[in-house]
Amino acid sequence: MKKQKWNKKKGWLLGGAVLAVILAVRPLYTAAVSRQDRFAAFHPTSEGDRADVTLRIQPEDDLEDVTGFCLKFRIDGDEIWDASMDFSGDEKTGEVREAFFEDGILSVYVSGRSTVLSREESTLGTIQVEGEGTAELSLISAETVNSFHQVNQITDYGNNESFVLTLSESETDGSGQTPSEPEETTPVPEEPSRPQEPEEDKNTDSVRKEHSSESDLAANQNTITGTWSWDGSFWRFKKTDGTYAAGQWGMVGGKWYYFGEDGLMKTGWILQDGKWYFCGPAGDMKTGWTWVDGNWYYMNHSGAMKTGWILDGSRWYYMKESGAMKTGWLESEGKWYYLDENGQMVTDCLTPDGYRVDRNGVWTENNQ
């Protein structure tokens, strides 16, 4: 009888020990699961106004070779002054990383020449919010781009939950930071592949030319020194002589910005001396491939928008009169060419609709 009681007692003790282990391990298991079953996960830090963010492609999204992405986080609260992203995470999260806050939305752009997002968890950085009271963070949209310039929406967010920050009163006025270079809403494309360029013939020399009318924006400009000034709505630049930059291009920190006659830093399209330029959301002038409102544009080394034929590496592209990259069939100086979905002129092959183009990209009726 005593032995039975002892065995029963020992059973209860053993069961209690197992239960204690389960209870101890369960938070770790739950944390591990919650860390991996969502595309974007928020993690608390030692400071209440900040949260670390990790990313991981979920099983239902068939995404490969992601070289860029754009995320939008909604930040809700009664007193929200500013929000920012500190990209202090893994180096593999991109060569170009930028974020800006407007109308309650923190937009984050990342791109690189190699994969920046995969099914392995990676650290994006830390979101910091300035304000009073609390702030609720939530991911509201995410899109990616691959090395073929194809844009895809994230559809599998997993257990997409919001996260609440407890803010402390800040001594700042919510003016934010000095502008820095943003990433395009979709990143600059990978450098095109470089196969052997087809042999030119004398009939295509006049067609295959790069637009040569380039204005040298930097010819008579000098770097300006001073400090950035935020008035609550717009950026200005106060020079060391006490005046504000106005009606001019100015180089600050190695980047070009344009200041209107009113002294405000301009963004978007700018027309000057018959040339179009584009300044990103943070005001810096763009060069090379630039994605704007669903179209690719090409800006030369001085920032001027290109039109007509351009040669990038060993591949030919055609930019329409509006500057937008052309795809599909193109008639140029009486000859027909075909530009694939990436804008590259195809050569010595059959087009998707069954027409043959020669090694110079030209289609003629006798080689259908």
Side-chain angles (χ1 to χ4, degrees):
M1 182 64 70
K2 290 182 179 180
K3 186 175 182 180
Q4 290 179 349
K5 288 184 177 180
W6 168 246
N7 288 338
K8 185 175 182 180
K9 183 176 181 180
K10 186 166 63 173
W12 280 106
L13 290 174
L14 181 60
V18 172
L19 179 60
V21 171
I22 292 174
L23 292 176
V25 172
R26 183 178 178 183
L28 300 178
Y29 173 78
T30 302
V33 171
S34 63
R35 190 178 179 87
Q36 297 183 13
D37 68 353
R38 65 192 66 180
F39 168 71
F42 301 106
H43 309 284
T45 67
S46 58
E47 300 181 64
D49 61 348
R50 305 179 186 190
D52 291 336
V53 181
T54 57
L55 304 175
R56 181 175 178 268
I57 296 177
Q58 296 298 293
E60 295 300 319
D61 273 323
D62 185 19
L63 299 174
E64 300 292 341
D65 194 23
V66 176
T67 57
F69 59 82
C70 170
L71 310 180
K72 293 187 182 294
F73 297 92
R74 182 182 301 281
I75 302 180
D76 291 320
D78 293 332
E79 291 290 337
I80 304 298
W81 302 329
D82 194 18
S84 60
M85 171 68 78
D86 177 16
F87 295 98
S88 57
D90 301 339
E91 292 182 358
K92 67 181 180 181
T93 53
E95 300 163 0
V96 179
R97 302 183 290 182
E98 189 56 57
F100 68 93
F101 182 66
E102 184 177 12
D103 297 331
I105 303 297
L106 179 64
S107 300
V108 178
Y109 304 103
V110 172
S111 69
R113 289 193 173 272
S114 58
T115 301
V116 297
L117 187 62
S118 70
R119 300 190 187 281
E120 295 183 3
E121 186 180 62
S122 61
T123 301
L124 176 62
T126 303
I127 292 179
Q128 179 178 6
V129 180
E130 295 181 13
E132 295 181 2
T134 61
E136 183 176 4
L137 312 181
S138 58
L139 178 66
I140 60 173
S141 72
E143 65 180 18
T144 67
V145 63
N146 61 26
S147 58
F148 296 101
H149 317 159
Q150 297 170 326
V151 178
N152 297 288
Q153 297 289 333
I154 291 291
T155 58
D156 184 3
Y157 288 91
N159 184 18
N160 187 26
E161 296 180 350
S162 60
F163 187 85
V164 177
L165 297 177
T166 301
L167 310 179
S168 58
E169 184 173 353
S170 171
E171 296 179 357
T172 67
D173 59 359
S175 61
Q177 303 294 322
T178 299
S180 56
E181 183 181 2
E183 162 56 2
E184 290 70 22
T185 49
T186 303
V188 175
E190 289 289 322
E191 183 176 342
S193 57
R194 298 192 173 191
Q196 184 67 33
E197 184 175 0
E199 180 181 347
E200 300 285 343
D201 63 35
K202 62 183 180 180
N203 295 323
T204 59
D205 287 343
S206 62
V207 176
R208 299 212 184 163
K209 59 182 180 294
E210 192 173 356
H211 236 253
S212 59
S213 55
E214 299 182 357
S215 61
D216 189 358
L217 174 65
N220 299 310
Q221 301 291 341
N222 296 314
T223 298
I224 57 177
T225 58
T227 57
W228 287 99
S229 174
W230 174 258
D231 64 6
S233 300
F234 299 99
W235 286 102
R236 303 172 186 268
F237 192 84
K238 189 174 184 179
K239 297 186 286 188
T240 52
D241 62 5
T243 63
Y244 285 90
Q248 68 174 97
W249 288 95
M251 179 173 280
V252 182
K255 301 171 186 177
W256 286 103
Y257 298 85
Y258 185 75
F259 303 92
E261 297 294 339
D262 54 6
L264 303 182
M265 183 196 76
K266 303 301 181 183
T267 62
W269 289 105
I270 296 170
L271 179 62
Q272 188 179 64
D273 299 328
K275 300 286 185 181
W276 285 102
Y277 302 84
F278 187 82
C279 292
D284 58 316
M285 183 194 74
K286 299 302 178 183
T287 59
W289 288 105
T290 303
W291 178 265
V292 183
D293 295 333
N295 290 292
W296 286 106
Y297 297 82
Y298 191 85
M299 326 304 274
N300 68 16
H301 70 280
S302 64
M305 184 190 78
K306 302 283 289 182
T307 59
W309 288 102
I310 65 168
L311 179 64
D312 185 21
S314 62
R315 305 307 295 264
W316 287 98
Y317 301 80
Y318 189 87
M319 316 309 287
K320 295 183 285 189
E321 186 176 352
S322 66
M325 184 185 75
K326 171 72 175 173
T327 61
W329 283 103
L330 166 72
E331 184 180 16
S332 177
E333 297 187 7
K335 296 180 180 180
W336 286 94
Y337 302 84
Y338 188 82
L339 309 167
D340 67 16
E341 67 274 12
N342 297 315
Q344 298 176 352
M345 185 194 74
V346 302
T347 60
D348 196 22
C349 66
L350 285 176
T351 63
D353 50 357
Y355 294 86
R356 177 166 292 281
V357 292
D358 64 20
R359 63 182 180 179
N360 294 307
V362 179
W363 170 80
T364 57
E365 292 184 8
N366 59 7
N367 68 5
Q368 180 176 346

